[in-house]
Amino acid sequence: MLPYESLEKFIGISTTITIKRNDHFVKEDDICRYIGIVKSGTLYSYFEDSDANMLVNELYSKQSVITSYRSFLNEIPSPAYIKAYSDSEIYAIEKKVYRELMQYQEWTLVFKEISDELFTNKCFKETSLIKLKARERYLALLRCRPHLEQDFPQHLIASYLKIRPETLSRIKSVDLYQDHK
């Protein structure tokens, strides 16, 4: 999460975008025109594999930084979709405004904090997928995002964790059983 001062600064110059449930913030192969912070609602980023299976890459809720960053920075097609799971509002800055603001050191620092957050989230996920077992990944995710299960259905969380929904159910039922011993 961004520091309060940076968040307030970002909100102060942003416009609010409304995205209805099942609509997209960006689609695969479109250029992402915004970098934003979720004001309300929930969204998720996903890829489709060659068999059209959905592979969830990120889950966004209130105060999450949201963008297809590579697409936004380089003005190239997005490799993924970002879709609203629920009606959502996003504080957003267009690429043109971003370029103008990057000329000022105070804004360069705000955007560095945003970049650092995106990078840290990516590293956390990548490391946990390599080093942690499914149950450990699930528990680590809940520690970082305690409201996740209220925000998203089990199949999206399971896809994000790179496990089957049945595996997630089994992990949760084992944990519930152990808590009642």
Side-chain angles (χ1 to χ4, degrees):
M1 186 183 331
L2 288 179
Y4 177 78
E5 287 178 7
S6 295
L7 181 63
E8 288 297 309
K9 192 175 249 187
F10 188 97
I11 291 168
I13 56 95
S14 67
T15 56
T16 301
I17 297 173
T18 301
I19 302 175
K20 295 290 183 194
R21 177 178 167 85
N22 292 324
D23 285 347
H24 289 87
F25 177 74
V26 68
K27 292 182 180 179
E28 180 183 52
D29 294 329
D30 287 350
I31 294 173
C32 185
R33 304 277 181 216
Y34 299 97
I35 189 164
I37 296 173
V38 178
K39 177 181 179 182
S40 64
T42 53
L43 304 97
Y44 59 100
S45 173
Y46 67 96
F47 298 94
E48 286 185 348
D49 67 13
S50 58
D51 296 324
N53 296 311
M54 181 179 70
L55 307 168
V56 175
N57 186 51
E58 189 57 76
L59 302 167
Y60 305 98
S61 52
K62 188 174 182 179
Q63 293 190 359
S64 295
V65 174
I66 186 168
T67 190
S68 179
Y69 202 44
R70 179 174 52 175
S71 174
F72 176 78
L73 288 178
N74 299 309
E75 296 180 0
I76 60 173
S78 175
Y81 298 87
I82 300 178
K83 185 176 185 177
Y85 177 70
S86 64
D87 290 350
S88 301
E89 291 184 306
I90 298 169
Y91 299 113
I93 294 176
E94 290 183 76
K95 178 68 181 215
K96 178 183 172 195
V97 175
Y98 171 85
R99 271 196 228 108
E100 292 169 4
L101 292 172
M102 283 297 286
Q103 296 176 36
Y104 303 99
Q105 184 175 2
E106 65 183 292
W107 280 102
T108 302
L109 295 174
V110 170
F111 290 125
K112 182 190 180 307
E113 290 172 339
I114 288 170
S115 176
D116 288 351
E117 182 170 329
L118 291 167
F119 181 73
T120 302
N121 289 346
K122 183 174 176 58
C123 288
F124 173 80
K125 182 175 183 199
E126 187 175 296
T127 302
S128 70
L129 286 171
I130 294 169
K131 296 190 125 243
L132 302 178
K133 293 181 177 172
R135 180 179 183 278
E136 295 167 326
R137 286 197 306 271
Y138 170 67
L139 295 174
L141 182 62
L142 289 183
R143 276 193 300 278
C144 293
R145 302 179 188 184
H147 300 288
L148 197 71
E149 290 187 305
Q150 290 80 37
D151 292 340
F152 295 98
Q154 184 166 305
H155 74 278
L156 291 179
I157 296 170
S159 180
Y160 175 81
L161 292 168
K162 306 298 180 231
I163 59 178
R164 292 187 323 272
E166 310 83 63
T167 303
L168 183 54
S169 287
R170 201 167 31 258
I171 290 168
K172 290 166 74 172
S173 67
V174 166
D175 285 348
L176 283 174
Y177 176 73
Q178 288 178 349
D179 288 345
H180 289 70
K181 275 189 166 182

